[in-house]
Amino acid sequence: MELGQLFVDDGLISADQLRLAREEQHGDRIDQTLIRMGLVSEDAVLQTLSAEFGMAYIDLKNVEIDMELLSKFPTSAIYRHSLLPLYRENGHVVVATDDPLNLEGIDELGTVSGMRLEPVLTRSNELGARIRELLGVGGDTINELVRQRSEEGIELLEELEEDYGELGEGAQAPSVIRLVNELLIEAVKLGTSDVHIEPQENVLRVRYRIDGMLRIQSTPPEINHFYSAIVTRLKIMSHLNIAEKRLPQDGRIKLRVTGREVDVRVSIIPMSHGEGVVLRLLDKDKMSFDLKNVGMPPTVVKRFRSLIEMPHGIVLVTGPTGSGKSTTLYSALNEIKDPATKIITIEDPVEYQMDGISQIQVHSRIGLTFAAGLRSILRHDPDIVLIGEIRDGETAQAAIQASLTGHVVFSTLHTNDAPSAFTRLVDMGVEPYLVASTVEGVLAQRLVRRLCFACRKQVPLATAVDVPEDFPRDGAPEFIYEPVGCRECTDTGYSGRIGVFELLTTDPVLQEMCAENESATRIRKYALQHGMTTLRQSGWEQVMAGVTSVSEIVRITRGDIVG
């Protein structure tokens, strides 16, 4: 029976939906077209095909795979045909596939292995993930027989130099280019923020930071032999000096991966066993600059918006690296920009291009520092200035002067909480009375992982374990949620991140305390007495809303307990 009619007879789709899918088929098989159009789920298709072809339909998640058996099969054929040998049963080998019509691949794998195969059906994303987990990202490239898919290509948005001499010869080999591309493709697919490539004594370790947590990425052992070529290839892509191996280097790669524009910041540092590489991935298609999207509760949004709409003064966002400070500031600029307002930013680096805003890249080597750039910016008659980061006293003084001359200044600062921002500026050499008269507000923030809504587990608050004593019981819900783990969240229990916030706005008393150079502890005590919500309290609100877990808030805000 023709596949499309089979799905109609089985009640998966209507005749009209089948006709619509055939119009959109464009060379694909009808089941693939139906899944792509969202008319039917892959689960439903595979269950129907399972019954029709007499193949078992299995969940790979909990299947124990015979690694000794797997080693007897050629990696190239496994990758090329998306077939995964699982275990022996009744004299034959059970092999997972996502395509019941993949007879050619099954025949080839059976011929080259000399074994009798019995195919079973499973989901394509689970199959691909399990193959990469067991054989490693780039395993097929290592074996020089990678299966290339046109929709998974990487397009460099900047031209590379052609001649790198003998030093670049190995790095320009097609196999090395494919291997680096596969590492980047996999990172983008998994929503990775940073890729760490770390040479050890006898092995090359690759780790991906996903939702703020580092995870070791499985790679074949042979990748160690390609380490030097991989680093050189990344240097070529980011226009760095491939001959320099003794000094740190920073570069940038502009890519289009599977149709999505991705900015990659490259940092290379010489270490004891070779050069360590960290790639920071900025997926422009996934960015949304909206204060509501960063997780601010309505009360904080209202107070923060009143700060950013002030006619002059300094607004600071504080937190450690990777806590979402830049996203919050971009969201703030997006809220207030309009044709009647001139906004100029000076950043290192310019992370996201924004329409309607003039952005300047810092170049310290030629003297364009934050402080020097800010002095020039003020001659361009801006209404609002964003300084990427206040790193030193010179930049702090320049920001203070800009606010005193009637400008709104946004910037970031590395402190653990909001009250510490005042004392940090004084430590940088700014007079306390100037800090008191210019800083209008400080927003401290952290990012916590969101619970996966597909698998989170509801538990009674009264019986939940490890709930700290400072968790607010008044007004708390009867149930809270804990992480579980499923295929949607790759068994972590979490998917994505959201912010928790501590907003401190100045008032006459706080300004006087700051002018008298009071300690951060005294400032914090006053702010708490007058209603400031701490990072931990903000986190408990997200727990009670079912967005995150108690353990995640404890991890992120450890030590931030209100007495």
Side-chain angles (χ1 to χ4, degrees):
M1 181 184 295
E2 193 267 332
L3 283 181
Q5 191 58 46
L6 173 65
F7 299 137
V8 172
D9 293 347
D10 230 40
L12 287 184
I13 57 171
S14 66
D16 287 341
Q17 287 175 319
L18 176 60
R19 186 163 52 253
L20 182 64
R22 282 176 174 157
E23 291 173 3
E24 299 291 328
Q25 201 164 347
H26 306 312
D28 290 337
R29 228 174 42 218
I30 193 66
D31 56 325
Q32 297 166 342
T33 303
L34 289 166
I35 293 169
R36 173 169 53 81
M37 293 176 68
L39 297 175
V40 66
S41 70
E42 185 183 16
D43 265 344
V45 166
L46 289 176
Q47 286 171 1
T48 297
L49 295 178
S50 168
E52 178 68 17
F53 290 94
M55 293 183 184
Y57 177 47
I58 67 167
D59 187 338
L60 270 185
K61 181 179 175 183
N62 299 315
V63 173
E64 189 172 337
I65 295 171
D66 185 337
M67 293 302 295
E68 185 179 348
L69 172 67
L70 182 61
S71 67
K72 299 183 185 329
F73 288 82
T75 304
S76 54
I78 290 173
Y79 272 97
R80 189 163 60 250
H81 297 296
S82 282
L83 295 170
L84 180 60
L86 304 177
Y87 48 80
R88 295 179 189 272
E89 186 177 79
N90 301 328
H92 54 253
V93 175
V94 177
V95 177
T97 180
D98 59 357
D99 182 2
L101 301 179
N102 187 11
L103 302 179
E104 180 185 344
I106 293 168
D107 285 345
E108 180 185 330
L109 199 63
T111 300
V112 297
S113 65
M115 301 181 191
R116 289 175 55 209
L117 308 182
E118 179 182 336
V120 295
L121 287 177
T122 192
R123 297 178 186 87
S124 59
N125 60 343
E126 282 186 6
L127 179 61
R130 205 70 196 271
I131 289 173
R132 290 190 294 273
E133 173 193 333
L134 295 166
L135 300 178
V137 175
D140 46 350
T141 302
I142 295 290
N143 287 277
E144 294 294 327
L145 284 169
V146 65
R147 177 181 55 167
Q148 290 291 299
R149 293 181 179 177
S150 59
E151 69 271 20
E152 289 193 343
I154 280 188
E155 178 188 353
L156 286 169
L157 300 181
E158 295 178 331
E159 289 192 11
L160 302 182
E161 292 181 33
E162 294 293 330
D163 184 19
Y164 282 90
E166 292 182 10
L167 283 173
E169 194 171 321
Q172 298 292 63
S175 57
V176 173
I177 292 173
R178 289 199 299 267
L179 179 54
V180 171
N181 286 357
E182 283 187 31
L183 285 170
L184 291 169
I185 289 168
E186 183 71 3
V188 172
K189 275 185 180 178
L190 294 174
T192 304
S193 62
D194 300 86
V195 178
H196 295 243
I197 302 173
E198 303 161 319
Q200 311 291 303
E201 187 171 3
N202 296 310
V203 70
L204 182 67
R205 183 169 69 170
V206 177
R207 295 192 289 174
Y208 290 169
R209 189 178 294 279
I210 302 171
D211 291 339
M213 304 293 284
L214 277 172
R215 304 182 200 171
I216 291 179
Q217 180 63 43
S218 175
T219 53
E222 295 84 0
I223 199 172
N224 188 46
H225 305 307
F226 292 83
Y227 156 69
S228 180
I230 290 170
V231 175
T232 303
R233 172 62 185 168
L234 288 169
K235 286 182 178 179
I236 289 172
M237 293 171 73
S238 47
H239 306 281
L240 298 178
N241 182 357
I242 65 174
E244 180 56 75
K245 299 179 184 294
R246 302 163 301 167
L247 296 173
Q249 295 191 71
D250 294 311
R252 180 176 179 176
I253 308 171
K254 291 184 177 181
L255 303 172
R256 188 173 285 115
V257 181
T258 62
R260 289 151 62 179
E261 197 169 319
V262 179
D263 227 0
V264 183
R265 302 288 155 72
V266 183
S267 177
I268 299 177
I269 297 178
M271 297 182 177
S272 54
H273 296 294
E275 293 175 284
V277 182
V278 174
L279 311 174
R280 168 155 286 192
L281 277 61
L282 302 172
D283 189 342
K284 295 184 177 181
D285 289 350
K286 294 180 74 174
M287 290 309 302
S288 174
F289 296 117
D290 188 321
L291 289 177
K292 293 177 183 176
N293 287 347
V294 300
M296 276 191 191
T299 52
V300 176
V301 170
K302 183 177 179 182
R303 291 169 58 208
F304 188 64
R305 186 176 283 119
S306 69
L307 274 178
I308 63 180
E309 290 175 349
M310 297 188 82
H312 54 77
I314 297 176
V315 178
L316 298 172
V317 179
T318 77
T321 302
S323 59
K325 301 186 297 295
S326 295
T327 300
T328 298
L329 284 177
Y330 278 120
S331 300
L333 293 181
N334 213 31
E335 290 271 329
I336 59 178
K337 72 176 183 180
D338 66 56
T341 304
K342 177 150 185 175
I343 302 174
I344 304 180
T345 76
I346 178 161
E347 306 167 67
D348 183 22
V350 174
E351 294 192 3
Y352 302 100
Q353 304 286 343
M354 294 188 72
D355 293 335
I357 294 175
S358 303
Q359 296 172 274
I360 300 170
Q361 167 77 50
V362 165
H363 288 289
S364 300
R365 290 180 183 175
I366 59 172
L368 181 53
T369 60
F370 280 119
L374 184 53
R375 286 192 291 270
S376 299
I377 283 173
L378 296 181
R379 292 193 284 272
H380 271 246
D381 188 31
D383 298 292
I384 298 167
V385 175
L386 183 146
I387 307 169
E389 182 185 344
I390 295 179
R391 297 176 180 171
D392 51 43
E394 188 184 10
T395 307
Q397 295 282 3
I400 295 287
Q401 292 303 318
S403 69
L404 288 173
T405 53
H407 301 88
V408 178
V409 179
F410 294 155
S411 192
T412 67
L413 202 60
H414 287 284
T415 63
N416 291 327
D417 58 13
S420 299
F422 296 93
T423 53
R424 176 62 56 83
L425 290 173
V426 173
D427 290 342
M428 286 181 174
V430 181
E431 291 292 340
Y433 74 90
L434 289 176
V435 176
S437 61
T438 55
V439 177
E440 300 291 345
V442 184
L443 180 77
Q445 70 177 73
R446 300 289 187 278
L447 292 178
V448 298
R449 292 181 292 170
R450 290 177 187 261
L451 285 166
C452 173
F453 278 37
C455 68
R456 63 178 183 169
K457 178 176 68 175
Q458 192 179 59
V459 295
L461 177 59
T463 60
V465 296
D466 299 328
V467 177
E469 291 182 5
D470 67 306
F471 187 89
R473 305 287 173 167
D474 293 341
E478 184 179 351
F479 295 94
I480 59 174
Y481 290 87
E482 292 181 350
V484 177
C486 65
R487 69 172 60 90
E488 296 292 329
C489 60
T490 60
D491 289 320
T492 62
Y494 298 93
S495 179
R497 290 189 290 174
I498 193 169
V500 292
F501 303 91
E502 176 179 286
L503 179 59
L504 174 58
T505 54
T506 57
D507 61 21
V509 176
L510 199 147
Q511 286 178 328
E512 187 175 339
M513 292 177 71
C514 184
E516 293 174 357
N517 204 15
E518 293 281 8
S519 68
T521 304
R522 293 281 304 276
I523 293 173
R524 181 178 181 79
K525 185 177 180 180
Y526 170 82
L528 290 174
Q529 290 170 348
H530 289 77
M532 183 182 79
T533 300
T534 67
L535 291 165
R536 195 173 178 95
Q537 290 168 335
S538 176
W540 293 146
E541 291 176 7
Q542 298 288 14
V543 171
M544 290 189 285
V547 174
T548 191
S549 66
V550 167
S551 59
E552 183 68 2
I553 296 304
V554 170
R555 180 180 72 85
I556 291 294
T557 64
R558 189 175 286 114
D560 179 30
I561 300 175
V562 181

